[in-house]
Amino acid sequence: MTDQNRSSDPDREKRKIKSAKKMKEIMTEYYIEAKTAEQTGKKVAWITSGGPVEPLIAMDVIPVYPENHGAMIGASKMGVDLCEKAEQMGYSRDLCSYAMADIACAPINGGPIGGLPRPDMLVCCNNICGTVLKWYEVQARYFNVPLFILDTPICHTGFSKEAKEYVKRQLAEYFEFLEENTGRKFDFDRLEEVGKLSLEGQKMWQAVLDTTLNKPSPMSAFDAFIHLALIVTLRGTQSTVDYYKMLLDEMTERVKNGISAVPNERYRLLWDNIPIWFKTRWLSDKFASLDACLVADTYTSSWSGMMTYIDEHNFMDSLAETYTRIYLNIGVDEMAQNVLKMIDKYDVNGVVLHSNRSCKPYSLGQYDTQRIIQEKAGLPTLMIEADIVDERNFSESQIETRIDAFMEVVASR
Amino acid sequence: MDQGLTKILEKFRVVAENPGEYARGWKKEKNLPVIGYLCSYAPEEIMLATGGLPYRIFGSGRQIKLADSHLQAYSCSLVRGAMEDVLSGHLDFLDGTVFPHTCDSIQRLSDIWRMNAGLGFHLDAVLPVKLDSDISKDYMAQVLRRFRDELEQAVGVEITDESITSAARVYNSLRQCLRTIYAVRRENDSLVSGSDLLAVTKCSMMMDRHEALDLLTEFREGLDKEMDAPVSGKKRLILAGGLCNMPDIFEVIEDSGGVIIDDDICTGSRHVDGEVDLDHDIFEALADRYVKRAVCPAKHAGLYTRGDHLMELVKSSQADGVIFLYLKFCDPHAFDYPYIKKMLDDEGIPNLLLELDDSSPTEGQFRTRCEAFVEML
């Protein structure tokens, strides 16, 4: 089906989320600002998706997210070519395809937006994985710019007081690092303001996600994958808060008018792990054709999961705990408990787990989570072995057959 | 070689070939705990201070069956192999396991192990990843203190600062002995084969440390008298990578006309590197060694530290080339490879990458590649 056919389909047109246009505008403006930073004298910092971005916003540094870049590369199906280029540079095919694609982009300004703007500094927080550490080391060598590493110890079974102290002391170093690299005093008052906006943005984002509690749901996880961009990249800004207010209004309106994401929602599913970016439309259509709506996912909700530890009145003091106890930086059993809670909350009929070979912290342990779901929630599960960016790790016919079989089980209950 | 020395080597080989059987026997005889651990950053000195036996876990290479229900095929053979061993009861002599924070795979293995292994205690020592700052060193010392408290609880034995100091003294001597053997091998490459060296270092991670130290001391002293043995004339190579638990590899390399005279691997020189300063607070001193020793790529101690270290090894041991030996799916090493390879290439140092999997045969293609590489030197 071509895009033209798509837009002329009145049913599809009705279900299209109208706010998306506005988000595109905000994101375009953001990338233009970042790409022209040299002319405006603003500094650019590359930062990991789980890293504390609020101090950057407070210091007027433009944050740029290589992982978001990876997602764009995947969605625009440029992943295989770039991963192959990284292989020619000597990187193993088994490495994270976000990292591979981004590393290959840098020297050739490749990818859908002609490469990311050159960084003035790199900020790497390892709360999501150890891969980002290696990835940022590569880029620090390539661009020859300062690298700040925020080391957030994994909370297997708890958050120790030693770890808290360790992260707090590093955050003080982080502020100094920003002072050195911007030539300005750190603005702590501004940080508190940004912190409030960050929290407000997260609350609004969660409110948007919670509109899927409605039956039928006005949006799906596939929509959330798209609208997630702002809470990741522009967390802590007013425009993010405003945008999600607008999106929330649209969703509320849809609920009122009975407009659902999936035409005949009969089954509600939960998604685990990062999207398969190059196949989101195919997967969305596939599940919709079987009357299934993916109403929630563990991925997009992790940017509001941080709220638990934020202290509205002392943002700076709560930063250490907020950024150390994020979703991926905890034990598999705690992650499984979260899945069980979501199963309950969103009242789903089954769970789809993406075993993502690019992301070991997210994926290793999923087999146990799958077993726990079956035992504790008694729900059918589907494990899809795939990848976020590299299409060579996706077998369409095999996965389609497995989805059909899984949905038969879901339907038979 | 002197018969006495050959006998000692034989002893090491027997233990290294079947360390589980050794540990079982040790436990029965001593009635003391055997404490399993993953990775060379595990605070062995504190474990030894319990009186128990610190036992480094490697995958034994048996076919993966049970671990398949817990770990994806894209996890490395160490992680899958260790899981298979514990689920199949081959580590049932362990009283508990210690997981130092290492890489993403071992991090998740710790969770999966805690949920499924069914052994006694389970301890995580969440060490810093960033090692090149004072703050990290402080945190390292704090983690070690906490670890002492937790291990005391788990084993039910008091662990005093003094007992850790004497354990550290044993390790200092062990590492000193091993470093001397490394130095001897750089001088004379025919005295101790690569597979024998592996057996010896493995024993320093799995055998009763006092017994290992006695044997090693005797061995090292004996070696002094052998120094005038003729050198092999083989190409001098350095092995760089993660862990190596395959004695056959050294034999293949030696058959191809090369000899490993030094290494940067975690079952080799990275385990042996550095000394604990016994005159200071023992936790600070341990932390100091752990942040300064030759670094694993899963940790950060500077952007070029690992490359510089390897270049230094090549120069100081006058090596003809480098063989990178990586476990398939070991991300930290695979990320470092291109930049380190470039450093070698820029200096005209020949190098070869070999990737190993559970099922990798050491014969065939592997042998052909080694032969071609050595021939080219």
Side-chain angles (χ1 to χ4, degrees):
Chain A
M1 195 189 283
T2 67
D3 279 347
Q4 228 174 353
N5 288 336
R6 226 172 251 281
S7 55
S8 62
D9 176 348
D11 184 66
R12 252 185 200 276
E13 198 54 37
K14 182 181 86 178
R15 290 177 209 286
K16 226 162 126 182
I17 297 178
K18 310 297 181 289
S19 306
K21 200 169 150 252
K22 176 73 185 163
M23 193 189 70
K24 240 185 187 161
E25 278 170 30
I26 299 173
M27 286 303 284
T28 307
E29 201 182 312
Y30 155 72
Y31 270 111
I32 289 173
E33 200 201 357
K35 286 206 136 198
T36 55
E38 238 171 300
Q39 291 145 40
T40 55
K42 279 198 170 186
K43 299 275 185 191
V44 171
W46 286 15
I47 183 167
T48 50
S49 68
V53 66
E54 292 85 354
L56 294 177
I57 307 265
M59 290 295 275
D60 274 327
V61 174
I62 304 175
V64 166
Y65 292 80
E67 288 156 77
N68 180 254
H69 188 215
M72 286 196 283
I73 290 166
S76 53
K77 298 179 197 285
M78 298 171 97
V80 173
D81 180 50
L82 287 165
C83 287
E84 281 171 354
K85 283 201 170 66
E87 283 167 51
Q88 284 157 19
M89 293 164 80
Y91 295 95
S92 160
R93 181 176 165 169
D94 300 321
L95 290 172
C96 165
S97 55
Y98 271 1
M100 293 280 274
D102 180 63
I103 288 168
C105 263
I108 55 166
N109 287 329
I113 57 164
L116 288 178
R118 194 189 151 82
D120 296 295
M121 65 195 100
L122 301 168
V123 179
C124 172
C125 179
N126 62 4
N127 57 359
I128 45 172
C129 59
T131 287
V132 289
L133 172 71
K134 303 311 292 178
W135 177 359
Y136 277 57
E137 284 176 351
V138 169
Q139 298 298 35
R141 282 189 292 264
Y142 179 73
F143 289 107
N144 194 23
V145 292
L147 164 66
F148 184 81
I149 299 164
L150 183 69
D151 181 14
T152 45
I154 168 94
C155 307
H156 284 292
T157 52
F159 183 44
S160 71
K161 66 175 198 304
E162 295 87 357
K164 189 172 185 172
E165 179 63 23
Y166 175 45
V167 179
K168 274 191 163 180
R169 288 179 71 189
Q170 291 178 78
L171 282 167
E173 285 186 325
Y174 180 29
F175 303 144
E176 280 168 27
F177 173 87
L178 292 179
E179 286 182 338
E180 268 167 42
N181 287 287
T182 59
R184 287 165 41 204
K185 272 277 180 226
F186 192 81
D187 190 339
F188 289 97
D189 294 333
R190 181 88 196 283
L191 179 63
E192 290 303 315
E193 286 164 30
V194 173
K196 281 199 176 73
L197 286 174
S198 173
L199 181 62
E200 210 183 326
Q202 292 174 48
K203 280 181 182 160
M204 292 306 297
W205 174 238
Q206 187 59 49
V208 169
L209 294 179
D210 281 350
T211 61
T212 66
L213 288 167
N214 290 285
K215 294 179 187 174
S217 171
M219 63 179 273
S220 74
F222 294 106
D223 298 314
F225 296 159
I226 295 166
H227 294 271
L228 168 77
L230 292 192
I231 197 68
V232 179
T233 50
L234 293 167
R235 187 165 71 244
T237 64
Q238 186 65 47
S239 62
T240 297
V241 177
D242 295 344
Y243 176 73
Y244 287 131
K245 267 188 191 145
M246 176 179 160
L247 183 58
L248 180 61
D249 288 345
E250 186 182 347
M251 289 305 129
T252 315
E253 196 64 20
R254 280 165 74 105
V255 172
K256 220 185 287 167
N257 299 330
I259 300 172
S260 57
V262 167
N264 309 296
E265 178 188 306
R266 289 177 66 194
Y267 311 109
R268 296 163 63 83
L269 304 173
L270 178 73
W271 173 272
D272 181 55
N273 213 310
I274 309 175
I276 303 166
W277 291 112
F278 51 88
K279 279 290 169 193
T280 46
R281 178 163 279 181
W282 181 83
L283 282 166
S284 171
D285 289 349
K286 177 69 198 169
F287 281 108
S289 76
L290 297 167
D291 299 335
C293 181
L294 273 75
V295 293
D297 70 282
T298 58
Y299 170 67
T300 60
S301 58
S302 48
W303 276 270
S304 48
M306 291 192 234
M307 288 190 296
T308 324
Y309 303 106
I310 294 182
D311 179 353
E312 211 174 334
H313 307 293
N314 196 349
F315 182 70
M316 196 190 80
D317 205 52
S318 60
L319 262 182
E321 186 154 10
T322 302
Y323 279 99
T324 307
R325 304 186 80 169
I326 67 149
Y327 187 55
L328 283 185
N329 211 35
I330 53 178
V332 166
D333 37 356
E334 197 181 337
M335 284 166 72
Q337 286 307 312
N338 180 63
V339 171
L340 291 178
K341 269 188 219 154
M342 290 184 82
I343 286 172
D344 231 31
K345 176 175 175 184
Y346 294 96
D347 193 21
V348 299
N349 311 97
V351 182
V352 183
L353 303 101
H354 168 206
S355 164
N356 163 14
R357 56 183 285 132
S358 278
C359 187
K360 294 190 171 94
Y362 217 149
S363 305
L364 302 189
Q366 272 180 321
Y367 291 177
D368 281 83
T369 301
Q370 184 180 29
R371 177 181 47 79
I372 291 169
I373 296 167
Q374 286 160 0
E375 282 170 12
K376 304 269 170 167
L379 286 185
T381 56
L382 170 66
M383 187 74 68
I384 298 178
E385 300 282 346
D387 188 64
I388 42 185
V389 164
D390 191 343
E391 280 191 72
R392 291 172 296 178
N393 299 311
F394 189 90
S395 155
E396 187 170 305
S397 58
Q398 193 193 7
I399 288 171
E400 183 161 26
T401 311
R402 300 200 53 221
I403 292 175
D404 287 333
F406 166 69
M407 286 310 298
E408 268 176 39
V409 177
V410 171
S412 70
R413 294 199 172 206
Chain B
M1 187 181 278
D2 177 80
Q3 260 207 333
L5 295 190
T6 318
K7 264 193 183 149
I8 297 175
L9 278 182
E10 187 51 32
K11 219 165 189 173
F12 281 131
R13 272 179 175 277
V14 169
V15 176
E17 264 162 38
N18 200 341
E21 195 182 291
Y22 173 85
R24 253 192 208 97
W26 185 92
K27 183 173 170 153
K28 207 169 162 190
E29 186 196 321
K30 310 256 176 179
N31 199 22
L32 286 166
V34 181
I35 307 167
Y37 71 93
L38 277 287
C39 162
S40 64
Y41 280 92
E44 280 187 65
E45 293 86 349
I46 303 176
M47 293 182 230
L48 183 63
T50 62
L53 178 69
Y55 181 90
R56 182 156 175 184
I57 298 169
F58 302 101
S60 62
R62 60 173 51 79
Q63 207 198 337
I64 304 294
K65 291 178 192 150
L66 301 167
D68 268 337
S69 327
H70 299 274
L71 287 161
Q72 281 92 334
Y74 47 83
S75 2
C76 74
S77 59
L78 167 67
V79 162
R80 282 159 64 80
M83 195 69 207
E84 184 66 31
D85 283 357
V86 77
L87 292 176
S88 59
H90 287 88
L91 294 173
D92 59 358
F93 53 86
L94 295 180
D95 291 84
T97 323
V98 172
F99 280 82
H101 182 261
T102 309
C103 57
D104 290 340
S105 300
I106 292 186
Q107 171 183 311
R108 283 297 173 232
L109 178 68
S110 168
D111 289 327
I112 297 168
W113 193 281
R114 177 165 49 80
M115 293 157 71
N116 297 286
L119 297 175
F121 61 86
H122 183 103
L123 294 180
D124 289 298
V126 190
L127 307 173
V129 171
K130 184 165 75 174
L131 302 181
D132 56 345
S133 90
D134 290 342
I135 295 178
S136 305
K137 205 181 120 186
D138 287 351
Y139 173 64
M140 175 79 90
Q142 285 164 0
V143 172
L144 296 177
R145 282 195 189 93
R146 169 182 279 270
F147 177 70
R148 184 261 300 268
D149 296 347
E150 290 177 351
L151 190 64
E152 267 186 344
Q153 287 266 317
V155 181
V157 178
E158 194 195 2
I159 307 171
T160 61
D161 289 12
E162 290 71 33
S163 63
I164 300 172
T165 305
S166 38
R169 188 170 290 120
V170 173
Y171 276 96
N172 275 353
S173 307
L174 261 177
R175 291 190 177 115
Q176 174 64 45
C177 267
L178 287 164
R179 285 198 301 271
T180 313
I181 295 173
Y182 267 78
V184 163
R185 292 184 78 254
R186 277 195 294 268
E187 289 281 308
N188 190 325
D189 61 11
S190 69
L191 284 181
V192 184
S193 72
S195 60
D196 281 338
L197 179 69
L198 174 67
V200 173
T201 43
K202 251 184 99 171
C203 283
S204 77
M205 304 170 195
M206 304 170 115
M207 200 177 180
D208 185 305
R209 302 304 190 271
H210 302 277
E211 189 186 350
L213 179 58
D214 289 345
L215 286 172
L216 260 180
T217 310
E218 198 185 331
F219 184 69
R220 191 205 61 195
E221 282 162 4
L223 271 187
D224 289 345
K225 296 179 202 119
E226 308 273 332
M227 287 304 282
D228 48 2
V231 297
S232 74
K234 289 179 176 172
K235 294 294 174 191
R236 296 164 68 83
L237 302 173
I238 286 177
L239 191 67
L243 59 83
C244 174
N245 188 25
M246 292 178 162
D248 302 0
I249 286 186
F250 296 96
E251 275 147 32
V252 170
I253 292 167
E254 282 158 23
D255 289 351
S256 310
V259 58
I260 300 295
I261 42 108
D262 209 336
D263 67 61
D264 179 22
I265 62 175
C266 75
T267 45
S269 75
R270 289 209 291 275
H271 158 77
V272 166
D273 188 35
E275 199 154 332
V276 180
D277 181 353
L278 301 174
D279 294 332
H280 285 93
D281 172 86
I282 189 63
F283 294 100
E284 303 289 331
L286 286 174
D288 193 58
R289 176 185 172 266
Y290 281 108
V291 300
K292 283 184 185 154
R293 54 152 269 206
V295 68
C296 158
K299 308 221 171 277
H300 176 90
L303 291 174
Y304 294 93
T305 312
R306 296 197 58 251
D308 289 341
H309 177 67
L310 186 60
M311 291 303 295
E312 179 54 40
L313 275 185
V314 171
K315 280 179 190 145
S316 64
S317 56
Q318 294 161 307
D320 299 306
V322 172
I323 292 182
F324 291 101
L325 184 73
Y326 291 169
L327 287 188
K328 192 166 167 62
F329 304 115
C330 175
D331 298 345
H333 276 291
F335 267 111
D336 272 2
Y337 170 69
Y339 105 81
I340 298 180
K341 177 183 168 47
K342 183 166 186 309
M343 283 175 88
L344 293 173
D345 289 347
D346 287 350
E347 294 282 322
I349 298 153
N351 56 85
L352 170 74
L353 171 63
L354 300 171
E355 208 177 45
L356 286 178
D357 200 354
D358 288 324
S359 50
S360 291
T362 48
E363 294 299 318
Q365 205 198 10
F366 188 73
R367 186 175 286 273
T368 315
R369 294 194 62 201
C370 281
E371 282 169 357
F373 177 66
V374 175
E375 236 168 69
M376 182 199 80
L377 294 171

